[in-house]
Amino acid sequence: MSALREIEVVMPGGETRRFGELAPGAALVVNVASKCGFTPQYAGLEELHREFGPQGLAVIGMPCNQFLKQEPGTDGEIAEFCSVNYGVTFPLLAKGKVNGRRVEPLYRELRRAKDPGGSAGVVRWNFEKFVVGRDPAGDGRPSIVRFRSVVEPDDPALRAAIEAVLPA
């Protein structure tokens, strides 16, 4: 199992779990915010969760307040907002940091992935997406495909990346 799958993530309420427990197979990890121009993407993320969840995809959101303080609420307020406004049923992690000091360990690893333009590094904005697959090379490292915020959940390239990491 990949070291990424062993990373501990913090759930609302402070409980820690291994990333691999939340996503034993394929995953779509997204840093989310409730007061962002991209917030309506929650609806599309929920659609992906409902469509591909039964095939082994775990959609996981991590609220982040680092970009113009667009996620000011508590974990409970965020969960309620997502449920009431977008019908979100996929898991949300506790609010955390995707860049800078005290970056969440999961994002320290995810940021190594390159986007289609070849850029890795810091998360640039809310709703960046990381498609995490199994270990295709057998070297302990999962495949990770990165998409920037402007890529909508129904984008054909994102859907193709998800379909590529699902079990046959």
Side-chain angles (χ1 to χ4, degrees):
M1 185 174 288
S2 160
L4 179 70
R5 305 260 182 218
E6 298 300 320
I7 289 175
E8 288 190 343
V9 294
V10 181
M11 305 302 295
E15 172 193 5
T16 60
R17 295 182 63 187
R18 283 187 11 258
F19 176 68
E21 291 175 47
L22 292 177
L28 173 61
V29 182
V30 186
N31 61 300
V32 294
S34 300
K35 299 189 182 304
C36 174
F38 293 116
T39 300
Q41 287 189 18
Y42 269 124
L45 295 172
E46 180 63 20
E47 287 179 27
L48 292 174
H49 169 68
R50 290 175 190 248
E51 179 180 352
F52 293 115
Q55 297 174 51
L57 178 73
V59 176
I60 300 169
M62 192 185 85
C64 178
N65 197 36
Q66 288 188 282
F67 302 104
L68 294 180
K69 305 211 181 298
Q70 294 183 339
E71 188 56 275
T74 65
D75 290 338
E77 291 167 339
I78 295 164
E80 181 177 356
F81 171 85
C82 292
S83 175
V84 168
N85 293 291
Y86 295 101
V88 168
T89 60
F90 58 83
L92 296 172
L93 303 176
K95 187 163 48 172
K97 292 188 174 190
V98 298
N99 292 323
R101 295 176 58 103
R102 297 187 197 96
V103 63
E104 295 297 324
L106 176 62
Y107 269 83
R108 185 176 298 118
E109 293 301 315
L110 292 175
R111 293 182 321 181
R112 295 175 190 215
K114 294 179 180 177
D115 64 18
S119 295
V122 299
V123 174
R124 294 182 187 161
W125 200 252
N126 302 308
F127 288 88
E128 281 203 23
K129 297 153 196 77
F130 297 85
V131 177
V132 180
R134 296 191 182 264
D135 174 12
D139 61 2
R141 294 180 24 214
S143 66
I144 303 174
V145 182
R146 182 179 195 162
F147 294 90
R148 299 294 177 174
S149 306
V150 296
V151 175
E152 296 281 337
D154 63 353
D155 185 278
L158 177 62
R159 291 181 59 85
I162 291 169
E163 290 170 350
V165 297
L166 293 174

